Amino acid sequence: MRWQFRNTVPAALLMALPMPVIAAEAAPAVAADDQGAGDILVTARRRAENVQDVPVAISVVGGETLAAKGVYNINRLTQLQPSLQFFSTNPRNTFINIRGLGAPFGLTNDGFEQGVGVYIDQVYYNRIASATLDFVDVERIETLRGPQGTLYGKNTTAGAINITTRAPSFDLEGNAEVSLGNYGFKQGKASVSGPLGKTVAVRLSVATTDRQGTIFNVATSQHVNSQDNIGLRGALLWKPSEDFKVTFSGDYNLQNPVCCAQIYASVGTTQRPLNRQYAALVARFPGYKVPSTDPFDRLTDLDAPLAARNEMGGASALVEWSLGPGTLTSVTAWRYWDWAPSNDRDFTGLPIYTKVNNPTKQDQYTQEVRYNYEGERINFVVGAFAFHQKIRTSGIQETGTAASAWLLAPGSALSNNPAVLNNVVAINDIRLDNTSVAAFGKLNWKVGDRLTVSPGVRINYDKKDGRYDSVVTGTASNGTRQIVSNDPASASYNDPWTAAQRGVQASQTFEVPYSAWNLSGDINLAYAVSDDVNAYATYARSFKTGGVNLNGVPSLPDGLPALDVAIIKPEKVDHFEIGLKSQFWDRRATLNLAGFWTEIKDFQASVISNISGSNVLRGYLANAGRVRVRGLEVDLSIRPSDRVSAYASGAFTDHEFVRFVDAPCPPELAGGGTGTPIGAPGVSGTNSPANCDVSGQWLPGISHWAASWGGEYNIPATVLGQAGAVYAGYDGNYRSKFSSNASRSLYTDIDGYSVHNFRVGFRTDAVDVFGWVRNAFDRNYFESLAVTPGNTGLISAQLADPRTWGGTIRLRF
């Protein structure tokens, strides 16, 4: 299957149906920016149709544009797509949201699902960490907005990101690319494809990225938050006839940077006693001083080793068989993920926590079968999907010599004795077996020449078996090593040292099963107003699978885990959307509009609870009452001539917790005593609420306004005897203020910012040489702000890249 182009490649929205892989023809050298105007015909539903006729809100970026704009991972993709949000402090602690929905903000938990599906060559990637790899030989990336699940794969409530790599070719072809830049940036990419015989073709690709970190650690004299990535990919196509083909694919990816540091951002006042807040605690360590209180000095003094080794890979077989009036497709895949971190989770240069590391291994198996029928008035997709995942996490948490003074109440003899909390060790064994099976179908019924009705349905069964086992040991007051237990009957329960250790962390073991059936569906109406104007309306009743808490749960007064909060109920989603797709100016301009309204009942969110009689505040996942996200989106692209192209996309998103009465409190309303009256925000030594009612407040991570825009201009030129084009391009993006905490805080709102990127170069059909500068005006801004453990008032930051610049040479044959 292939795209057919008239004029140029557009920025118009592209349908991503679960049919055979669509191969794109290369754009001419003078028109490499695929965000211009024109027609794209797709045959994804076994007939050629203009993408503008397909009633789905989706954005597409082609491989040529990705390379030109330096978009080599999902994080950078957000600069081109306003409705896509990406937050990451390391690969495992990564959240991808569409229209502000997808994953709970603030906690990583193996027991819940993502609301945004990530697919690479039709293979579903369950853990976002296993999809943070650099793009290798990508043909295009499609971002579908809104619930998905009646057409393919795993059910997702917020949308899906479909990444398609370049297919093997029966014509010998290849490309190579080298980029160099500041901060020691070095990136190389190469791909070669060609026939191995009349019926077999192969493609081999490699990509590698290396860059010095943008933050300097004065404690270790290292630049941290570096990049050190390599990706390998191979595909073998066997095509014995025009009606049958099989594509075997395999890949290996390794990220092994010195990473990941979140640094000092600011200090805010909490309701803790003043002698337990950041300034007083730091004063207990004479001579200690943070290297800088200005985060944009990009300095830190983290004393624990940093590592973020992220290895992933897998293999798949894609079978496509033209059978009767339709196509039978089978996708079989195995994937693995191996995560080996080392963190400093006290966010200081003091030996409070010397280890907080949770190495994780995953194996994932998926099988999907679909049949796509094509008739004159009716076409449909029916399919089945099966998924099994096994996750094993073997973690450790260890405290150091500064823990007693930092974590225990000042003034007590125990807080002055480093031995009390030194070498308190938690060994964590976390296991999840996750199985999901589903059947789905989507019908397209052309009622008349202009109206098409498209109902869809999905039935889903999910089963999860989770186990959490944390064994904590510490030194008792008699010098012996003891289990730190919540059980009042344990021998060391009343030992004063063990009691102090239990207030920091105690042993806990539980197993929790979960299983449920879910039925969901959607209906879509599409109406052709004219040849160039199409309207659509969609209603979807969707769900996000329930789950289990696998980071521990609060303890009851008798020491047993509170298993009633171990299960997370499914999210129930009602989604409404209307849209208009239009082309004008002799189809040199495209304007698409979408309006949406999404309400979620039992929204899966982060909470903090202190069970009555329990000694420890524990964060976990639970269900909020209801949230609402609604907004408008616009996409405009124009190409008045072969010399000029431009685009602009914008989104307005209104968002709030409609009802969430037991949310975690922000730091300014936490850390104080129990009882009444409740103190004013940020007043030390006062009483704090057990939880907070945030109904009516912002959802985290969502800006009310977001936009991206840009363009390119080229003129024919001859350089060194080679005919081609000289070009200049510009891309900008903007986000308004957003909250960076699960419950909005005085200290964690991130101000709005804009980023501007430029490039200039010369290209022919075979060569492209250009220079680039990203974040050209060196805008200092935060990607995220976070409240650090213990509620001392310390706020940590994840910084965005400063200004970077460099050059790229690309060769094609």
Side-chain angles (χ1 to χ4, degrees):
M1 303 180 65
R2 59 192 303 136
W3 287 354
Q4 297 177 357
F5 294 83
R6 292 188 206 143
N7 301 327
T8 60
V9 186
L13 305 179
L14 178 67
M15 178 64 174
L17 291 175
M19 308 306 153
V21 174
I22 305 168
E25 297 177 359
V30 295
D33 189 336
D34 69 354
Q35 289 184 306
D39 291 349
I40 291 183
L41 301 181
V42 294
T43 55
R45 298 194 294 188
R46 304 303 294 169
R47 71 174 186 268
E49 56 183 351
N50 186 346
V51 64
Q52 288 296 103
D53 298 334
V54 182
V56 173
I58 178 171
S59 300
V60 61
V61 183
E64 294 292 320
T65 294
L66 293 170
K69 299 181 180 182
V71 177
Y72 57 86
N73 55 36
I74 292 177
N75 186 15
R76 290 175 177 261
L77 185 63
T78 61
Q79 295 187 6
L80 301 180
Q81 300 188 355
S83 295
L84 180 66
Q85 296 95 31
F86 180 95
F87 306 97
S88 180
T89 55
N90 62 45
R92 188 172 190 268
N93 292 332
T94 296
F95 310 93
I96 299 177
N97 288 348
I98 293 175
R99 294 171 171 168
L101 302 174
F105 207 86
L107 283 176
T108 297
N109 190 321
D110 291 333
F112 76 95
E113 305 289 334
Q114 304 290 332
V116 175
V118 176
Y119 295 83
I120 299 181
D121 289 335
Q122 304 190 53
V123 175
Y124 174 68
Y125 284 50
N126 182 259
R127 305 315 299 175
I128 293 297
S130 66
T132 57
L133 58 137
D134 285 0
F135 301 147
V136 180
D137 209 16
V138 167
E139 178 183 291
R140 71 183 183 278
I141 299 176
E142 303 149 1
T143 304
L144 289 83
R145 305 191 290 272
Q148 308 297 322
T150 61
L151 278 168
Y152 60 93
K154 194 78 166 65
N155 187 73
T156 52
T157 55
I161 298 173
N162 287 334
I163 300 174
T164 301
T165 66
R166 292 185 175 92
S169 169
F170 283 96
D171 296 320
L172 182 62
E173 62 180 37
N175 60 76
E177 175 182 316
V178 174
S179 298
L180 299 175
N182 62 337
Y183 292 97
F185 178 78
K186 299 181 289 293
Q187 186 174 73
K189 300 178 183 180
S191 176
V192 63
S193 184
L196 295 181
K198 290 185 178 181
T199 61
V200 178
V202 66
R203 178 177 290 274
L204 301 173
S205 307
V206 60
T208 179
T209 303
D210 183 80
R211 193 186 75 177
Q212 172 185 292
T214 58
I215 294 172
F216 185 71
N217 189 339
V218 300
T220 60
S221 297
Q222 284 181 303
H223 287 91
V224 298
N225 292 9
S226 61
Q227 297 180 17
D228 185 1
N229 309 334
I230 186 169
L232 306 171
R233 189 171 191 88
L236 182 72
L237 170 64
W238 176 46
K239 189 177 180 181
S241 70
E242 289 299 317
D243 295 330
F244 184 83
K245 64 180 178 179
V246 182
T247 304
F248 300 97
S249 300
D251 67 282
Y252 171 82
N253 302 271
L254 176 63
Q255 301 170 328
N256 195 22
V258 181
C259 193
C260 298
Q262 291 82 55
I263 69 173
Y264 178 106
S266 64
V267 172
T269 306
T270 75
Q271 291 180 325
R272 267 188 153 199
L274 202 58
N275 63 359
R276 300 202 68 185
Q277 300 205 36
Y278 180 81
L281 291 172
V282 167
R284 300 193 70 182
F285 301 91
Y288 177 73
K289 186 179 180 181
V290 67
S292 176
T293 57
D294 181 354
F296 297 107
D297 285 343
R298 299 182 179 271
L299 297 175
T300 190
D301 62 347
L302 301 184
D303 57 325
L306 296 178
R309 190 180 191 277
N310 194 37
E311 180 184 336
M312 67 213 86
S316 66
L318 172 63
V319 181
E320 299 163 282
W321 184 13
S322 296
L323 191 63
T327 300
L328 181 66
T329 302
S330 170
V331 187
T332 306
W334 162 76
R335 297 211 56 80
Y336 81 95
W337 169 46
D338 189 352
W339 166 241
S342 182
N343 303 302
D344 191 328
R345 280 296 176 257
D346 57 59
F347 303 93
T348 73
L350 298 168
I352 303 166
Y353 289 101
T354 55
K355 294 179 182 177
V356 185
N357 309 326
N358 285 289
T360 299
K361 294 180 181 293
Q362 172 195 271
D363 278 292
Q364 171 192 307
Y365 303 87
T366 55
Q367 174 64 57
E368 184 169 351
V369 178
R370 301 184 304 267
Y371 184 72
N372 178 61
Y373 170 86
E374 179 67 22
E376 182 177 350
R377 289 280 182 180
I378 290 178
N379 62 81
F380 62 80
V381 178
V382 292
F385 176 77
F387 164 85
H388 180 71
Q389 173 193 47
K390 180 174 72 176
I391 298 180
R392 299 292 184 263
T393 299
S394 301
I396 185 172
Q397 177 172 300
E398 181 180 294
T399 51
T401 56
S404 295
W406 192 271
L407 301 175
L408 300 180
S412 70
L414 296 182
S415 74
N416 294 321
N417 186 345
V420 175
L421 292 189
N422 185 42
N423 199 32
V424 175
V425 178
I427 302 297
N428 304 319
D429 182 13
I430 305 172
R431 304 185 178 197
L432 177 71
D433 291 294
N434 181 9
T435 301
S436 178
V437 293
F440 53 84
K442 181 77 170 180
L443 170 69
N444 295 307
W445 174 31
K446 192 171 183 180
V447 179
D449 291 338
R450 294 187 177 276
L451 177 65
T452 301
V453 179
S454 303
V457 66
R458 180 186 185 94
I459 186 168
N460 212 92
Y461 175 74
D462 294 282
K463 185 177 188 300
K464 297 181 180 181
D465 292 297
R467 175 180 172 81
Y468 177 83
D469 185 8
S470 179
V471 178
V472 182
T473 57
T475 303
S477 59
N478 62 7
T480 62
R481 295 292 290 179
Q482 300 285 339
I483 298 291
V484 180
S485 174
N486 264 323
D487 184 0
S490 63
S492 62
Y493 187 83
N494 293 318
D495 182 273
W497 285 27
T498 304
Q501 295 158 7
R502 187 167 57 249
V504 175
Q505 185 161 0
S507 300
Q508 187 178 87
T509 300
F510 62 87
E511 295 185 6
V512 55
Y514 169 84
S515 63
W517 289 90
N518 280 285
L519 179 68
S520 59
D522 57 35
I523 186 166
N524 176 276
L525 303 178
Y527 186 78
V529 179
S530 68
D531 289 344
D532 294 326
V533 179
N534 296 283
Y536 68 90
T538 298
Y539 167 71
R541 172 70 172 182
S542 186
F543 74 98
K544 186 165 78 171
T545 304
V548 294
N549 272 299
L550 290 180
N551 284 352
V553 296
S555 296
L556 300 170
D558 60 4
L560 296 176
L563 293 182
D564 59 326
V565 299
I567 298 224
I568 313 160
K569 292 187 291 186
E571 292 183 352
K572 303 173 185 67
V573 182
D574 286 294
H575 174 78
F576 304 86
E577 184 162 342
I578 57 173
L580 188 71
K581 295 187 173 185
S582 64
Q583 290 183 302
F584 53 94
W585 197 5
D586 195 25
R587 295 192 172 182
R588 288 176 291 178
T590 299
L591 175 64
N592 295 332
L593 305 171
F596 62 92
W597 186 306
T598 305
E599 294 204 4
I600 301 179
K601 183 181 178 182
D602 293 327
F603 181 73
Q604 295 170 358
S606 302
V607 302
I608 296 177
S609 180
N610 189 355
I611 300 293
S612 177
S614 177
N615 57 299
V616 179
L617 283 170
R618 172 76 78 168
Y620 58 97
L621 288 172
N623 296 98
R626 185 180 294 272
V627 304
R628 181 183 65 225
V629 177
R630 57 190 176 182
L632 299 171
E633 297 167 336
V634 58
D635 293 277
L636 171 68
S637 60
I638 61 171
R639 186 180 289 274
S641 72
D642 289 340
R643 307 275 74 84
V644 179
S645 65
Y647 70 94
S649 298
F652 167 74
T653 308
D654 177 63
H655 51 93
E656 70 173 23
F657 289 105
V658 176
R659 178 174 171 79
F660 192 7
V661 298
D662 56 352
C665 291
E668 61 269 25
L669 280 171
T674 59
T676 56
I678 301 300
V683 176
S684 63
T686 57
N687 293 327
S688 298
N691 44 51
C692 287
D693 184 351
V694 299
S695 303
Q697 290 189 16
W698 288 1
L699 291 170
I702 313 179
S703 297
H704 275 114
W705 298 96
S708 61
W709 61 89
E712 185 178 292
Y713 176 74
N714 70 78
I715 57 174
T718 300
V719 177
L720 299 178
Q722 299 295 312
V726 171
Y727 64 92
Y730 160 71
D731 302 286
N733 65 90
Y734 168 77
R735 288 193 66 179
S736 63
K737 178 186 288 189
F738 63 95
S739 167
S740 185
N741 197 51
S743 296
R744 192 178 181 192
S745 168
L746 298 172
Y747 310 132
T748 56
D749 275 3
I750 294 179
D751 290 334
Y753 58 84
S754 62
V755 177
H756 306 268
N757 308 319
F758 298 88
R759 64 188 183 277
V760 60
F762 171 76
R763 61 174 169 248
T764 70
D765 288 333
V767 178
D768 190 356
V769 181
F770 62 98
W772 44 264
V773 56
R774 295 162 191 148
N775 191 6
F777 305 119
D778 203 18
R779 180 71 159 90
N780 288 327
Y781 64 98
F782 300 116
E783 290 188 336
S784 65
L785 293 170
V787 179
T788 59
N791 203 50
T792 66
L794 176 62
I795 306 298
S796 68
Q798 181 78 17
L799 301 184
D801 281 348
R803 177 171 50 226
T804 59
W805 50 265
T808 298
I809 300 176
R810 303 175 63 204
L811 305 174
R812 294 182 288 267
F813 67 86

